[in-house]
Amino acid sequence: DAGVTQSPTHLIKTRGQQVTLRCSPISGHKSVSWYQQVLGQGPQFIFQYYEKEERGRGNFPDRFSARQFPNYSSELNVNALLLGDSALYLCASSLGVRSAYEQYFGPGTRLTVT
Amino acid sequence: QKEVEQNSGPLSVPEGAIASLNCTYSDRGSQSFFWYRQYSGKSPELIMSIYSNGDKEDGRFTAQLNKASQYVSLLIRDSQPSDSATYLCAVIAGTYKYIFGTGTRLKVLA
């Protein structure tokens, strides 16, 4: 079975621009979560979606938004990019939102803001 | 106080030894705990999950949970150089929010 896929792999943007990152979950998984990971830190929770509804949001500004589509794939949008948004953006999928469900990560999108 | 704390390391162990990785968490209501392995430049890979007090074994890996002490650990037996990576502890806070520690860097010396 295919794992979580993300696109693009790498991205270079300029301050003030907007970016869209994409994620396809493992087949059968209905929940997608987004994380930001900067060097030397653990992943920081941004959003969780389940059945196309936002179920959780981390401590990120409104410049960050996301959505989930009927096929359970997801997009993360970041507007008005700042240098500090440079990071590895990770998508993780799980069967659902119950606390017992394990999350599996995609390979990530490396975003560089110049 | 950080929600999930790990010693950043590096933790160096000789090949064949037992590596012991530790994690403490602040939310006493947490019920689900996970260990991920992350190689440099790669995404985290799930190693173990544990939900009940006690030990859970999977091959060379053993996760230990003590909810009263708010402590979870990972033991790696017969450590191999290929185990050299950063190990992330994660805890679910509430119903959905994964909180990760900063990770412990493990070096297994051949």
mmCIF file of all heavy atoms in Angstrom, chain A residues 35 37 40-43 45 48 55-58 88 90 97-108, chain B residues 2 31-32 34 36 38 41-46 48-49 51 56 88 92 94-98 100-103:
data_model
loop_
_atom_site.group_PDB
_atom_site.id
_atom_site.type_symbol
_atom_site.label_atom_id
_atom_site.label_comp_id
_atom_site.label_asym_id
_atom_site.label_seq_id
_atom_site.Cartn_x
_atom_site.Cartn_y
_atom_site.Cartn_z
ATOM 1 N N TYR A 35 1.951 19.534 10.265
ATOM 2 C CA TYR A 35 2.937 19.935 11.249
ATOM 3 C C TYR A 35 4.015 20.775 10.579
ATOM 4 O O TYR A 35 4.317 20.597 9.391
ATOM 5 C CB TYR A 35 3.611 18.721 11.885
ATOM 6 C CG TYR A 35 2.692 17.857 12.700
ATOM 7 C CD1 TYR A 35 1.919 16.871 12.109
ATOM 8 C CD2 TYR A 35 2.594 18.028 14.081
ATOM 9 C CE1 TYR A 35 1.063 16.080 12.858
ATOM 10 C CE2 TYR A 35 1.741 17.242 14.839
ATOM 11 C CZ TYR A 35 0.985 16.273 14.221
ATOM 12 O OH TYR A 35 0.139 15.497 14.972
ATOM 13 N N GLN A 37 8.076 21.638 11.155
ATOM 14 C CA GLN A 37 9.258 21.238 11.909
ATOM 15 C C GLN A 37 10.450 22.091 11.472
ATOM 16 O O GLN A 37 10.850 22.068 10.309
ATOM 17 C CB GLN A 37 9.578 19.758 11.716
ATOM 18 C CG GLN A 37 10.712 19.292 12.624
ATOM 19 C CD GLN A 37 11.001 17.806 12.502
ATOM 20 O OE1 GLN A 37 10.746 17.188 11.468
ATOM 21 N NE2 GLN A 37 11.520 17.198 13.569
ATOM 22 N N GLY A 40 16.185 21.034 14.590
ATOM 23 C CA GLY A 40 16.486 20.888 16.003
ATOM 24 C C GLY A 40 15.274 20.839 16.917
ATOM 25 O O GLY A 40 15.417 20.730 18.138
ATOM 26 N N GLN A 41 14.088 20.911 16.325
ATOM 27 C CA GLN A 41 12.852 20.876 17.114
ATOM 28 C C GLN A 41 11.973 19.713 16.678
ATOM 29 O O GLN A 41 12.128 19.186 15.581
ATOM 30 C CB GLN A 41 12.083 22.190 16.948
ATOM 31 C CG GLN A 41 12.827 23.416 17.411
ATOM 32 C CD GLN A 41 13.093 23.416 18.895
ATOM 33 O OE1 GLN A 41 12.213 23.076 19.704
ATOM 34 N NE2 GLN A 41 14.309 23.778 19.288
ATOM 35 N N GLY A 42 11.035 19.365 17.554
ATOM 36 C CA GLY A 42 10.049 18.373 17.160
ATOM 37 C C GLY A 42 8.971 19.018 16.303
ATOM 38 O O GLY A 42 8.858 20.247 16.249
ATOM 39 N N PRO A 43 8.177 18.214 15.615
ATOM 40 C CA PRO A 43 7.078 18.768 14.811
ATOM 41 C C PRO A 43 6.101 19.551 15.682
ATOM 42 O O PRO A 43 5.765 19.119 16.787
ATOM 43 C CB PRO A 43 6.423 17.517 14.223
ATOM 44 C CG PRO A 43 7.490 16.470 14.243
ATOM 45 C CD PRO A 43 8.283 16.753 15.477
ATOM 46 N N PHE A 45 2.293 21.084 15.892
ATOM 47 C CA PHE A 45 0.957 20.853 15.349
ATOM 48 C C PHE A 45 0.362 22.126 14.776
ATOM 49 O O PHE A 45 0.353 23.170 15.438
ATOM 50 C CB PHE A 45 0.066 20.314 16.473
ATOM 51 C CG PHE A 45 -1.369 20.155 16.118
ATOM 52 C CD1 PHE A 45 -1.792 19.091 15.341
ATOM 53 C CD2 PHE A 45 -2.306 21.067 16.568
ATOM 54 C CE1 PHE A 45 -3.135 18.936 15.025
ATOM 55 C CE2 PHE A 45 -3.647 20.915 16.258
ATOM 56 C CZ PHE A 45 -4.056 19.851 15.482
ATOM 57 N N GLN A 48 -5.606 19.722 12.335
ATOM 58 C CA GLN A 48 -6.088 18.377 12.061
ATOM 59 C C GLN A 48 -7.451 18.470 11.393
ATOM 60 O O GLN A 48 -8.314 19.240 11.832
ATOM 61 C CB GLN A 48 -6.187 17.516 13.316
ATOM 62 C CG GLN A 48 -6.599 16.079 12.965
ATOM 63 C CD GLN A 48 -6.697 15.182 14.159
ATOM 64 O OE1 GLN A 48 -7.628 15.283 14.942
ATOM 65 N NE2 GLN A 48 -5.736 14.271 14.305
ATOM 66 N N ARG A 55 -10.771 19.776 13.006
ATOM 67 C CA ARG A 55 -10.995 19.266 14.354
ATOM 68 C C ARG A 55 -10.012 19.849 15.363
ATOM 69 O O ARG A 55 -10.197 19.686 16.561
ATOM 70 C CB ARG A 55 -10.871 17.746 14.375
ATOM 71 C CG ARG A 55 -11.993 17.045 13.645
ATOM 72 C CD ARG A 55 -13.353 17.415 14.225
ATOM 73 N NE ARG A 55 -14.452 16.752 13.557
ATOM 74 C CZ ARG A 55 -15.012 15.628 13.969
ATOM 75 N NH1 ARG A 55 -14.558 15.036 15.051
ATOM 76 N NH2 ARG A 55 -16.015 15.100 13.304
ATOM 77 N N GLY A 56 -8.993 20.510 14.887
ATOM 78 C CA GLY A 56 -8.037 21.087 15.806
ATOM 79 C C GLY A 56 -7.118 22.049 15.110
ATOM 80 O O GLY A 56 -6.850 21.922 13.915
ATOM 81 N N ARG A 57 -6.665 23.028 15.859
ATOM 82 C CA ARG A 57 -5.764 24.049 15.322
ATOM 83 C C ARG A 57 -4.705 24.343 16.378
ATOM 84 O O ARG A 57 -5.028 24.500 17.555
ATOM 85 C CB ARG A 57 -6.547 25.315 14.991
ATOM 86 C CG ARG A 57 -5.710 26.507 14.583
ATOM 87 C CD ARG A 57 -6.584 27.736 14.419
ATOM 88 N NE ARG A 57 -7.386 27.654 13.202
ATOM 89 C CZ ARG A 57 -7.121 28.350 12.088
ATOM 90 N NH1 ARG A 57 -6.085 29.173 12.063
ATOM 91 N NH2 ARG A 57 -7.889 28.231 11.032
ATOM 92 N N GLY A 58 -3.474 24.405 15.941
ATOM 93 C CA GLY A 58 -2.389 24.748 16.845
ATOM 94 C C GLY A 58 -2.202 26.250 16.935
ATOM 95 O O GLY A 58 -2.989 27.036 16.402
ATOM 96 N N LEU A 88 10.383 22.392 7.459
ATOM 97 C CA LEU A 88 9.870 21.169 6.842
ATOM 98 C C LEU A 88 8.394 21.056 7.243
ATOM 99 O O LEU A 88 8.073 21.068 8.429
ATOM 100 C CB LEU A 88 10.648 19.954 7.346
ATOM 101 C CG LEU A 88 10.209 18.583 6.831
ATOM 102 C CD1 LEU A 88 10.458 18.471 5.325
ATOM 103 C CD2 LEU A 88 10.924 17.471 7.590
ATOM 104 N N LEU A 90 5.173 18.815 7.392
ATOM 105 C CA LEU A 90 4.839 17.393 7.417
ATOM 106 C C LEU A 90 3.335 17.189 7.452
ATOM 107 O O LEU A 90 2.620 17.890 8.160
ATOM 108 C CB LEU A 90 5.458 16.737 8.654
ATOM 109 C CG LEU A 90 6.984 16.707 8.705
ATOM 110 C CD1 LEU A 90 7.464 16.460 10.128
ATOM 111 C CD2 LEU A 90 7.527 15.647 7.773
ATOM 112 N N VAL A 97 -9.818 10.374 14.588
ATOM 113 C CA VAL A 97 -9.344 11.368 15.544
ATOM 114 C C VAL A 97 -9.312 10.834 16.973
ATOM 115 O O VAL A 97 -8.895 11.508 17.866
ATOM 116 C CB VAL A 97 -10.200 12.641 15.510
ATOM 117 C CG1 VAL A 97 -10.037 13.340 14.195
ATOM 118 C CG2 VAL A 97 -11.661 12.325 15.790
ATOM 119 N N ARG A 98 -9.756 9.607 17.177
ATOM 120 C CA ARG A 98 -9.717 9.078 18.527
ATOM 121 C C ARG A 98 -8.282 8.975 19.013
ATOM 122 O O ARG A 98 -7.363 8.745 18.246
ATOM 123 C CB ARG A 98 -10.364 7.695 18.595
ATOM 124 C CG ARG A 98 -11.833 7.711 18.334
ATOM 125 C CD ARG A 98 -12.417 6.330 18.465
ATOM 126 N NE ARG A 98 -13.806 6.305 18.086
ATOM 127 C CZ ARG A 98 -14.541 5.215 18.044
ATOM 128 N NH1 ARG A 98 -14.008 4.056 18.368
ATOM 129 N NH2 ARG A 98 -15.801 5.277 17.682
ATOM 130 N N SER A 99 -8.119 9.098 20.276
ATOM 131 C CA SER A 99 -6.776 9.176 20.832
ATOM 132 C C SER A 99 -5.963 7.916 20.579
ATOM 133 O O SER A 99 -4.757 7.932 20.663
ATOM 134 C CB SER A 99 -6.856 9.462 22.326
ATOM 135 O OG SER A 99 -7.552 8.416 22.972
ATOM 136 N N ALA A 100 -6.614 6.812 20.265
ATOM 137 C CA ALA A 100 -5.869 5.574 20.080
ATOM 138 C C ALA A 100 -5.271 5.450 18.687
ATOM 139 O O ALA A 100 -4.501 4.540 18.442
ATOM 140 C CB ALA A 100 -6.777 4.374 20.344
ATOM 141 N N TYR A 101 -5.633 6.337 17.774
ATOM 142 C CA TYR A 101 -5.200 6.156 16.400
ATOM 143 C C TYR A 101 -3.810 6.707 16.166
ATOM 144 O O TYR A 101 -3.512 7.850 16.498
ATOM 145 C CB TYR A 101 -6.191 6.791 15.442
ATOM 146 C CG TYR A 101 -7.486 6.013 15.350
ATOM 147 C CD1 TYR A 101 -8.704 6.654 15.196
ATOM 148 C CD2 TYR A 101 -7.492 4.622 15.409
ATOM 149 C CE1 TYR A 101 -9.893 5.947 15.101
ATOM 150 C CE2 TYR A 101 -8.673 3.908 15.327
ATOM 151 C CZ TYR A 101 -9.859 4.567 15.173
ATOM 152 O OH TYR A 101 -11.017 3.858 15.092
ATOM 153 N N GLU A 102 -2.988 5.897 15.516
ATOM 154 C CA GLU A 102 -1.601 6.242 15.263
ATOM 155 C C GLU A 102 -1.476 7.036 13.978
ATOM 156 O O GLU A 102 -2.195 6.796 13.017
ATOM 157 C CB GLU A 102 -0.769 4.963 15.178
ATOM 158 C CG GLU A 102 -0.837 4.146 16.459
ATOM 159 C CD GLU A 102 -0.404 2.718 16.252
ATOM 160 O OE1 GLU A 102 -0.352 2.270 15.086
ATOM 161 O OE2 GLU A 102 -0.107 2.047 17.254
ATOM 162 N N GLN A 103 -0.536 7.976 13.953
ATOM 163 C CA GLN A 103 -0.330 8.827 12.787
ATOM 164 C C GLN A 103 0.902 8.374 12.021
ATOM 165 O O GLN A 103 1.915 8.009 12.626
ATOM 166 C CB GLN A 103 -0.156 10.283 13.199
ATOM 167 C CG GLN A 103 -1.421 10.914 13.748
ATOM 168 C CD GLN A 103 -1.291 12.420 13.874
ATOM 169 O OE1 GLN A 103 -0.211 12.986 13.835
ATOM 170 N NE2 GLN A 103 -2.427 13.086 14.028
ATOM 171 N N TYR A 104 0.807 8.446 10.703
ATOM 172 C CA TYR A 104 1.913 8.073 9.825
ATOM 173 C C TYR A 104 2.249 9.284 8.957
ATOM 174 O O TYR A 104 1.365 9.874 8.333
ATOM 175 C CB TYR A 104 1.532 6.873 8.965
ATOM 176 C CG TYR A 104 1.232 5.660 9.806
ATOM 177 C CD1 TYR A 104 -0.056 5.431 10.288
ATOM 178 C CD2 TYR A 104 2.240 4.763 10.151
ATOM 179 C CE1 TYR A 104 -0.329 4.333 11.084
ATOM 180 C CE2 TYR A 104 1.974 3.663 10.939
ATOM 181 C CZ TYR A 104 0.690 3.454 11.419
ATOM 182 O OH TYR A 104 0.426 2.374 12.210
ATOM 183 N N PHE A 105 3.532 9.595 8.914
ATOM 184 C CA PHE A 105 3.967 10.818 8.248
ATOM 185 C C PHE A 105 4.341 10.592 6.792
ATOM 186 O O PHE A 105 4.847 9.528 6.419
ATOM 187 C CB PHE A 105 5.182 11.401 8.967
ATOM 188 C CG PHE A 105 4.852 12.104 10.246
ATOM 189 C CD1 PHE A 105 4.818 11.415 11.442
ATOM 190 C CD2 PHE A 105 4.557 13.458 10.247
ATOM 191 C CE1 PHE A 105 4.498 12.072 12.627
ATOM 192 C CE2 PHE A 105 4.246 14.120 11.411
ATOM 193 C CZ PHE A 105 4.210 13.423 12.609
ATOM 194 N N GLY A 106 4.112 11.625 5.997
ATOM 195 C CA GLY A 106 4.630 11.674 4.647
ATOM 196 C C GLY A 106 6.070 12.155 4.657
ATOM 197 O O GLY A 106 6.617 12.471 5.717
ATOM 198 N N PRO A 107 6.688 12.244 3.468
ATOM 199 C CA PRO A 107 8.103 12.621 3.392
ATOM 200 C C PRO A 107 8.365 14.098 3.672
ATOM 201 O O PRO A 107 9.505 14.478 3.926
ATOM 202 C CB PRO A 107 8.487 12.263 1.964
ATOM 203 C CG PRO A 107 7.204 12.332 1.214
ATOM 204 C CD PRO A 107 6.139 11.882 2.162
ATOM 205 N N GLY A 108 7.308 14.912 3.635
ATOM 206 C CA GLY A 108 7.475 16.323 3.943
ATOM 207 C C GLY A 108 7.734 17.183 2.729
ATOM 208 O O GLY A 108 8.143 16.700 1.661
ATOM 209 N N LYS B 2 7.803 22.745 29.691
ATOM 210 C CA LYS B 2 7.400 22.245 28.391
ATOM 211 C C LYS B 2 6.432 21.095 28.571
ATOM 212 O O LYS B 2 6.491 20.341 29.545
ATOM 213 C CB LYS B 2 8.637 21.777 27.615
ATOM 214 C CG LYS B 2 9.555 22.906 27.198
ATOM 215 C CD LYS B 2 10.714 22.365 26.374
ATOM 216 C CE LYS B 2 11.625 23.493 25.936
ATOM 217 N NZ LYS B 2 12.789 22.975 25.170
ATOM 218 N N GLN B 31 -3.449 10.083 27.448
ATOM 219 C CA GLN B 31 -3.746 8.652 27.442
ATOM 220 C C GLN B 31 -2.972 7.885 26.385
ATOM 221 O O GLN B 31 -2.934 6.662 26.416
ATOM 222 C CB GLN B 31 -5.242 8.443 27.185
ATOM 223 C CG GLN B 31 -6.138 8.995 28.272
ATOM 224 C CD GLN B 31 -5.975 8.257 29.588
ATOM 225 O OE1 GLN B 31 -5.827 7.035 29.612
ATOM 226 N NE2 GLN B 31 -5.959 9.008 30.692
ATOM 227 N N SER B 32 -2.393 8.600 25.425
ATOM 228 C CA SER B 32 -1.752 7.929 24.296
ATOM 229 C C SER B 32 -0.349 8.470 24.098
ATOM 230 O O SER B 32 -0.151 9.689 24.103
ATOM 231 C CB SER B 32 -2.572 8.140 23.019
ATOM 232 O OG SER B 32 -3.900 7.692 23.203
ATOM 233 N N PHE B 34 3.582 7.857 22.024
ATOM 234 C CA PHE B 34 4.186 7.309 20.815
ATOM 235 C C PHE B 34 5.672 7.616 20.789
ATOM 236 O O PHE B 34 6.112 8.654 21.270
ATOM 237 C CB PHE B 34 3.522 7.914 19.571
ATOM 238 C CG PHE B 34 2.023 7.788 19.565
ATOM 239 C CD1 PHE B 34 1.240 8.765 20.158
ATOM 240 C CD2 PHE B 34 1.405 6.700 18.985
ATOM 241 C CE1 PHE B 34 -0.144 8.656 20.182
ATOM 242 C CE2 PHE B 34 0.019 6.588 18.997
ATOM 243 C CZ PHE B 34 -0.745 7.554 19.598
ATOM 244 N N TYR B 36 8.688 7.948 17.856
ATOM 245 C CA TYR B 36 9.020 8.037 16.445
ATOM 246 C C TYR B 36 10.538 8.094 16.302
ATOM 247 O O TYR B 36 11.234 8.657 17.153
ATOM 248 C CB TYR B 36 8.419 9.299 15.812
ATOM 249 C CG TYR B 36 6.926 9.243 15.581
ATOM 250 C CD1 TYR B 36 6.030 9.508 16.612
ATOM 251 C CD2 TYR B 36 6.414 8.927 14.331
ATOM 252 C CE1 TYR B 36 4.660 9.466 16.397
ATOM 253 C CE2 TYR B 36 5.054 8.884 14.099
ATOM 254 C CZ TYR B 36 4.173 9.151 15.133
ATOM 255 O OH TYR B 36 2.824 9.102 14.909
ATOM 256 N N GLN B 38 13.515 9.463 13.656
ATOM 257 C CA GLN B 38 13.695 10.379 12.538
ATOM 258 C C GLN B 38 15.170 10.427 12.160
ATOM 259 O O GLN B 38 16.016 10.880 12.929
ATOM 260 C CB GLN B 38 13.193 11.788 12.879
ATOM 261 C CG GLN B 38 13.206 12.736 11.692
ATOM 262 C CD GLN B 38 12.525 14.063 11.979
ATOM 263 O OE1 GLN B 38 12.471 14.521 13.119
ATOM 264 N NE2 GLN B 38 11.982 14.696 10.941
ATOM 265 N N GLY B 41 17.207 14.539 7.787
ATOM 266 C CA GLY B 41 16.664 14.877 6.478
ATOM 267 C C GLY B 41 15.431 14.090 6.084
ATOM 268 O O GLY B 41 14.910 14.277 4.977
ATOM 269 N N LYS B 42 14.962 13.212 6.953
ATOM 270 C CA LYS B 42 13.784 12.392 6.659
ATOM 271 C C LYS B 42 12.629 12.750 7.587
ATOM 272 O O LYS B 42 12.786 13.519 8.523
ATOM 273 C CB LYS B 42 14.128 10.894 6.804
ATOM 274 C CG LYS B 42 15.261 10.422 5.921
ATOM 275 C CD LYS B 42 14.889 10.504 4.454
ATOM 276 C CE LYS B 42 15.981 9.920 3.581
ATOM 277 N NZ LYS B 42 15.638 10.019 2.126
ATOM 278 N N SER B 43 11.478 12.172 7.309
ATOM 279 C CA SER B 43 10.312 12.423 8.153
ATOM 280 C C SER B 43 10.250 11.396 9.286
ATOM 281 O O SER B 43 10.896 10.344 9.214
ATOM 282 C CB SER B 43 9.038 12.367 7.312
ATOM 283 O OG SER B 43 8.863 11.082 6.753
ATOM 284 N N PRO B 44 9.496 11.690 10.353
ATOM 285 C CA PRO B 44 9.400 10.739 11.474
ATOM 286 C C PRO B 44 8.721 9.440 11.060
ATOM 287 O O PRO B 44 7.774 9.436 10.271
ATOM 288 C CB PRO B 44 8.551 11.511 12.493
ATOM 289 C CG PRO B 44 8.708 12.953 12.129
ATOM 290 C CD PRO B 44 8.829 12.962 10.644
ATOM 291 N N GLU B 45 9.209 8.355 11.653
ATOM 292 C CA GLU B 45 8.679 7.018 11.394
ATOM 293 C C GLU B 45 8.194 6.432 12.711
ATOM 294 O O GLU B 45 8.944 6.395 13.700
ATOM 295 C CB GLU B 45 9.803 6.159 10.802
ATOM 296 C CG GLU B 45 9.494 4.692 10.650
ATOM 297 C CD GLU B 45 10.736 3.877 10.344
ATOM 298 O OE1 GLU B 45 11.854 4.445 10.398
ATOM 299 O OE2 GLU B 45 10.616 2.681 10.071
ATOM 300 N N LEU B 46 6.960 5.965 12.757
ATOM 301 C CA LEU B 46 6.394 5.422 13.987
ATOM 302 C C LEU B 46 7.089 4.112 14.365
ATOM 303 O O LEU B 46 7.196 3.201 13.561
ATOM 304 C CB LEU B 46 4.898 5.186 13.802
ATOM 305 C CG LEU B 46 4.149 4.618 15.002
ATOM 306 C CD1 LEU B 46 4.146 5.605 16.162
ATOM 307 C CD2 LEU B 46 2.721 4.254 14.616
ATOM 308 N N MET B 48 6.681 2.798 18.030
ATOM 309 C CA MET B 48 5.878 2.148 19.046
ATOM 310 C C MET B 48 4.767 3.082 19.493
ATOM 311 O O MET B 48 4.930 4.287 19.512
ATOM 312 C CB MET B 48 6.718 1.825 20.291
ATOM 313 C CG MET B 48 7.835 0.849 20.112
ATOM 314 S SD MET B 48 7.257 -0.839 20.212
ATOM 315 C CE MET B 48 6.897 -0.978 21.949
ATOM 316 N N SER B 49 3.665 2.489 19.905
ATOM 317 C CA SER B 49 2.630 3.221 20.608
ATOM 318 C C SER B 49 2.370 2.478 21.919
ATOM 319 O O SER B 49 2.547 1.256 21.992
ATOM 320 C CB SER B 49 1.339 3.278 19.782
ATOM 321 O OG SER B 49 0.866 1.968 19.506
ATOM 322 N N TYR B 51 -0.387 2.656 25.489
ATOM 323 C CA TYR B 51 -1.553 3.317 26.053
ATOM 324 C C TYR B 51 -1.793 2.957 27.523
ATOM 325 O O TYR B 51 -2.509 3.669 28.231
ATOM 326 C CB TYR B 51 -2.810 2.951 25.249
ATOM 327 C CG TYR B 51 -2.655 3.163 23.773
ATOM 328 C CD1 TYR B 51 -2.580 2.100 22.884
ATOM 329 C CD2 TYR B 51 -2.563 4.455 23.233
ATOM 330 C CE1 TYR B 51 -2.428 2.295 21.520
ATOM 331 C CE2 TYR B 51 -2.411 4.661 21.873
ATOM 332 C CZ TYR B 51 -2.344 3.568 21.030
ATOM 333 O OH TYR B 51 -2.192 3.767 19.677
ATOM 334 N N LYS B 56 5.684 -2.601 26.883
ATOM 335 C CA LYS B 56 5.203 -3.149 25.612
ATOM 336 C C LYS B 56 6.428 -3.416 24.752
ATOM 337 O O LYS B 56 7.232 -2.520 24.531
ATOM 338 C CB LYS B 56 4.270 -2.161 24.908
ATOM 339 C CG LYS B 56 3.758 -2.673 23.565
ATOM 340 C CD LYS B 56 2.865 -1.634 22.904
ATOM 341 C CE LYS B 56 2.387 -2.099 21.535
ATOM 342 N NZ LYS B 56 1.556 -1.068 20.864
ATOM 343 N N LEU B 88 11.851 10.787 18.761
ATOM 344 C CA LEU B 88 10.845 11.749 19.193
ATOM 345 C C LEU B 88 9.771 11.072 20.026
ATOM 346 O O LEU B 88 9.217 10.043 19.620
ATOM 347 C CB LEU B 88 10.182 12.399 17.976
ATOM 348 C CG LEU B 88 11.075 13.231 17.060
ATOM 349 C CD1 LEU B 88 10.403 13.437 15.710
ATOM 350 C CD2 LEU B 88 11.382 14.573 17.695
ATOM 351 N N ILE B 92 -0.580 12.545 23.090
ATOM 352 C CA ILE B 92 -1.826 13.175 22.635
ATOM 353 C C ILE B 92 -2.436 13.945 23.794
ATOM 354 O O ILE B 92 -2.707 13.380 24.861
ATOM 355 C CB ILE B 92 -2.822 12.156 22.084
ATOM 356 C CG1 ILE B 92 -2.285 11.561 20.791
ATOM 357 C CG2 ILE B 92 -4.173 12.830 21.826
ATOM 358 C CD1 ILE B 92 -3.251 10.648 20.077
ATOM 359 N N GLY B 94 -5.677 16.113 24.949
ATOM 360 C CA GLY B 94 -7.067 16.250 24.530
ATOM 361 C C GLY B 94 -7.437 15.117 23.612
ATOM 362 O O GLY B 94 -6.979 13.985 23.761
ATOM 363 N N THR B 95 -8.222 15.392 22.578
ATOM 364 C CA THR B 95 -8.692 14.324 21.710
ATOM 365 C C THR B 95 -7.934 14.250 20.395
ATOM 366 O O THR B 95 -8.108 13.315 19.632
ATOM 367 C CB THR B 95 -10.178 14.514 21.384
ATOM 368 O OG1 THR B 95 -10.344 15.797 20.766
ATOM 369 C CG2 THR B 95 -11.030 14.435 22.631
ATOM 370 N N TYR B 96 -7.124 15.224 20.094
ATOM 371 C CA TYR B 96 -6.555 15.231 18.756
ATOM 372 C C TYR B 96 -5.128 15.753 18.661
ATOM 373 O O TYR B 96 -4.436 15.489 17.704
ATOM 374 C CB TYR B 96 -7.402 16.131 17.856
ATOM 375 C CG TYR B 96 -7.450 17.560 18.355
ATOM 376 C CD1 TYR B 96 -6.436 18.454 18.037
ATOM 377 C CD2 TYR B 96 -8.494 18.003 19.157
ATOM 378 C CE1 TYR B 96 -6.454 19.756 18.501
ATOM 379 C CE2 TYR B 96 -8.508 19.307 19.633
ATOM 380 C CZ TYR B 96 -7.506 20.172 19.298
ATOM 381 O OH TYR B 96 -7.534 21.464 19.773
ATOM 382 N N LYS B 97 -4.694 16.524 19.622
ATOM 383 C CA LYS B 97 -3.463 17.289 19.452
ATOM 384 C C LYS B 97 -2.247 16.482 19.867
ATOM 385 O O LYS B 97 -2.086 16.148 21.029
ATOM 386 C CB LYS B 97 -3.542 18.570 20.270
ATOM 387 C CG LYS B 97 -2.410 19.543 20.030
ATOM 388 C CD LYS B 97 -2.654 20.811 20.830
ATOM 389 C CE LYS B 97 -1.530 21.805 20.624
ATOM 390 N NZ LYS B 97 -1.742 23.029 21.409
ATOM 391 N N TYR B 98 -1.399 16.159 18.883
ATOM 392 C CA TYR B 98 -0.136 15.519 19.178
ATOM 393 C C TYR B 98 0.856 16.581 19.637
ATOM 394 O O TYR B 98 1.064 17.576 18.960
ATOM 395 C CB TYR B 98 0.432 14.870 17.922
ATOM 396 C CG TYR B 98 0.050 13.441 17.678
ATOM 397 C CD1 TYR B 98 -1.264 13.068 17.488
ATOM 398 C CD2 TYR B 98 1.035 12.458 17.593
ATOM 399 C CE1 TYR B 98 -1.598 11.745 17.234
ATOM 400 C CE2 TYR B 98 0.714 11.136 17.331
ATOM 401 C CZ TYR B 98 -0.607 10.788 17.155
ATOM 402 O OH TYR B 98 -0.919 9.493 16.902
ATOM 403 N N PHE B 100 4.837 16.935 20.465
ATOM 404 C CA PHE B 100 6.117 16.251 20.334
ATOM 405 C C PHE B 100 7.168 16.892 21.233
ATOM 406 O O PHE B 100 7.156 18.115 21.456
ATOM 407 C CB PHE B 100 6.620 16.337 18.889
ATOM 408 C CG PHE B 100 5.959 15.384 17.947
ATOM 409 C CD1 PHE B 100 4.742 15.697 17.358
ATOM 410 C CD2 PHE B 100 6.552 14.167 17.651
ATOM 411 C CE1 PHE B 100 4.131 14.806 16.489
ATOM 412 C CE2 PHE B 100 5.944 13.281 16.775
ATOM 413 C CZ PHE B 100 4.731 13.600 16.202
ATOM 414 N N GLY B 101 8.072 16.065 21.727
ATOM 415 C CA GLY B 101 9.258 16.583 22.368
ATOM 416 C C GLY B 101 10.247 17.027 21.310
ATOM 417 O O GLY B 101 10.012 16.867 20.105
ATOM 418 N N THR B 102 11.353 17.584 21.759
ATOM 419 C CA THR B 102 12.363 18.067 20.819
ATOM 420 C C THR B 102 13.234 16.939 20.278
ATOM 421 O O THR B 102 13.974 17.138 19.326
ATOM 422 C CB THR B 102 13.262 19.124 21.481
ATOM 423 O OG1 THR B 102 13.840 18.556 22.660
ATOM 424 C CG2 THR B 102 12.469 20.368 21.845
ATOM 425 N N GLY B 103 13.120 15.759 20.896
ATOM 426 C CA GLY B 103 13.867 14.608 20.398
ATOM 427 C C GLY B 103 15.195 14.406 21.101
ATOM 428 O O GLY B 103 15.819 15.359 21.576
#
